Amino acid sequence: MTTGRQRFPVFTAAMGDLGRILPGTTEAPQRMAWGALDGAGSGLAEEGARLTATVEAIERYSSCLWDPEQFIWASARSLGDEALDLSRVPRCSDSELAEPACPLLAPDPDAPMRWVRGVDLISGRPRWLPAVMVYLHIPFVSRGERFWLPISTGTAAHFDYDNALLGAVLECVERDGIALTWLQRLALTKIEIDVSDPVLDEALELSARSGLRTHFFDGTTDLGIPTVYSVDIDPRAAKVRTYVMCATELDPRRAMVKVMRESSSGRVAMQYREADDKPLDDYLDVFDGAVHMAAAERAQAFDFLLDSPRRRRLSDMIPSIPESPAERLSWVLRRLRDAGCTAYAVDITSDEARTAGVRVVRVIVPELVPLSFAYRARFLGTARLYEAPARMGLPVHAEPDLNPWPQPFA
């Protein structure tokens, strides 16, 4: 489709109403719109955009399909070392938990919940993982499960497991960077493009024709895994003036292309959404904060990024990395391990996906800061939110001084 001032071809793959084969989704903790299972894809060419949209729809479908027989009922304490340690998962702060509008509770190691079998990607050992951290649109069925809001972070699909796992882990790193940047108002370094690359050059040329202005920033955190954060500005728009995007890729040139591609599909979606005057307490939807922050009258909220005086050349961001997907996955996992992180995976490939030759995985890196669209559950009690900026040599804001604006990423 072609809408507005987007730069690249954008396709969607509709799944329709899957309620009859996905029972329980109507009782999920966040309101379910069947369009949320649709896939979206953009690219330099229509064929690639169409494939991306189709695979994303397969991924979304697989992430909502589970069988109760997969689960065991237990408390974290009773499972001991066989389960993910709940003391490592992100948590809401005491002040958040005290808010009546907060939908979550503190993790409780003695509260029973559903667990699903996964694997520790670093040690190779099997582990039990909370089902609410694995599946999307899964309803709470116990008090113990109310420490988490299901989200798609860390879900990826590909035609082989190594690439799927790599994509899922990188997305966890990306979402951590998004949350850190916005909540701590990190004055990221602007990227100066000093290298020529055929794919990047083509994307930049298409972008320039659109009339949009894109500012690229080095969003690489203390993990050392290349990340690009972008602020996209349409100077002629009032409704969708400012839009942010982020991508983590081992080649930052690919990350720059990705933020431009995904900004295109995001801007298309934003054109059809209207802002409302509901209170921040009710911000739960993926687009709530993005629609609110896109308006021209809130452009000043992005000044902490746009006014950053720091600069870094793109050529200095390109690491020496292995060639094969398996070796690249090992490289990323070593970076996480060295930073004190763990990483777990569950194979959530549906029968339909497997028939199509697609593999779908969910990865959890519990120590990272999660991306949250619920304004009263931004996981402000997560230790990394205050430790990572210090390790990056940047100022650290205490909880009362964190960014008060809602998350603009969607």
Side-chain angles (χ1 to χ4, degrees), residues 20-43:
R20 293 187 178 183
I21 57 175
L22 295 177
T25 52
T26 54
E27 291 81 37
Q30 291 169 291
R31 291 189 296 273
M32 175 66 175
W34 293 112
L37 294 185
D38 294 348
S42 58

Side-chain angles (χ1 to χ4, degrees), residues 8-135:
F8 308 110
V10 177
F11 283 81
T12 59
M15 298 293 290
D17 186 342
L18 299 173
R20 293 187 178 183
I21 57 175
L22 295 177
T25 52
T26 54
E27 291 81 37
Q30 291 169 291
R31 291 189 296 273
M32 175 66 175
W34 293 112
L37 294 185
D38 294 348
S42 58
L44 298 180
E46 290 188 359
E47 182 178 357
R50 186 183 291 110
L51 176 61
T52 299
T54 303
V55 173
E56 184 174 273
I58 293 171
E59 171 195 311
R60 295 288 175 86
Y61 169 75
S62 295
S63 70
C64 297
L65 195 64
W66 65 88
D67 186 335
E69 293 187 2
Q70 294 174 260
F71 305 145
I72 62 168
W73 272 92
S75 68
R77 196 179 305 279
S78 69
L79 292 175
D81 292 342
E82 294 184 19
L84 182 151
D85 183 356
L86 291 185
S87 70
R88 303 179 77 94
V89 303
R91 59 193 59 226
C92 291
S93 67
D94 291 341
S95 60
E96 285 184 294
L97 294 171
E99 285 282 348
C102 181
L104 300 181
L105 303 171
D108 183 352
D110 295 310
M113 70 177 85
R114 293 167 296 177
W115 300 79
V116 65
R117 202 62 157 168
V119 62
D120 183 328
L121 287 175
I122 295 175
S123 72
R125 298 189 182 95
R127 287 289 184 271
W128 291 105
L129 306 172
V132 292
M133 297 185 76
V134 173
Y135 293 99

Side-chain angles (χ1 to χ4, degrees), residues 153 171-186 188 219 221 227-229 244-248 304 369-373 407-410:
T153 297
E171 186 173 77
C172 292
V173 174
E174 168 198 303
R175 301 299 171 83
D176 171 79
I178 293 169
L180 284 170
T181 295
W182 190 250
L183 290 172
Q184 282 286 356
R185 285 174 287 188
L186 302 181
L188 301 178
T221 68
T227 299
V228 172
Y229 190 99
V244 305
M245 190 51 63
C246 187
T248 298
F304 73 92
V369 182
L371 172 66
S372 176
F373 304 108
Q407 174 60 246
F409 177 89

Side-chain angles (χ1 to χ4, degrees), residues 200-213:
L200 176 58
D201 292 347
E202 182 180 357
L204 289 170
E205 182 180 353
L206 287 171
S207 180
R209 291 179 196 166
S210 73
L212 298 175
R213 296 203 305 262

Side-chain angles (χ1 to χ4, degrees), residues 157-338:
H158 209 280
F159 297 103
D160 65 81
Y161 280 115
D162 287 333
N163 273 306
L165 288 168
L166 177 60
V169 175
L170 292 178
E171 186 173 77
C172 292
V173 174
E174 168 198 303
R175 301 299 171 83
D176 171 79
I178 293 169
L180 284 170
T181 295
W182 190 250
L183 290 172
Q184 282 286 356
R185 285 174 287 188
L186 302 181
L188 301 178
T189 302
K190 290 184 179 180
I191 299 173
E192 295 181 342
I193 303 173
D194 64 332
V195 294
S196 180
D197 173 83
V199 177
L200 176 58
D201 292 347
E202 182 180 357
L204 289 170
E205 182 180 353
L206 287 171
S207 180
R209 291 179 196 166
S210 73
L212 298 175
R213 296 203 305 262
T214 301
H215 302 263
F216 300 101
F217 300 87
D218 181 4
T220 307
T221 68
D222 57 315
L223 300 176
I225 302 172
T227 299
V228 172
Y229 190 99
S230 68
V231 178
D232 212 36
I233 298 173
D234 184 344
R236 297 189 297 182
K239 179 182 176 182
V240 187
R241 183 186 190 274
T242 313
Y243 193 65
V244 305
M245 190 51 63
C246 187
T248 298
E249 296 282 345
L250 297 191
D251 186 338
R253 293 168 295 189
R254 301 286 81 78
M256 294 182 76
V257 174
K258 187 176 180 181
V259 295
M260 286 186 279
R261 286 195 299 100
E262 297 194 345
S263 175
S264 290
S265 58
R267 279 186 170 275
V268 169
M270 294 279 283
Q271 295 292 333
Y272 297 99
R273 296 184 178 267
E274 297 296 331
D276 57 43
D277 58 357
K278 65 183 179 182
L280 290 174
D281 285 3
D282 295 336
Y283 275 40
L284 292 170
D285 185 78
V286 171
F287 284 95
D288 282 342
V291 171
H292 186 77
M293 298 306 299
E297 61 264 29
R298 297 184 184 89
Q300 76 282 357
F302 301 89
D303 286 349
F304 73 92
L305 284 162
L306 299 176
D307 293 343
S308 174
R310 306 163 67 210
R311 300 290 186 272
R312 187 179 188 188
R313 295 180 301 181
L314 176 60
S315 59
D316 293 334
M317 292 179 60
I318 302 173
S320 176
I321 53 175
E323 289 296 325
S324 75
E327 291 174 324
R328 291 184 174 205
L329 176 62
S330 296
W331 185 89
V332 172
L333 290 174
R334 284 196 299 272
R335 302 293 305 201
L336 291 173
R337 181 200 61 198
D338 293 346

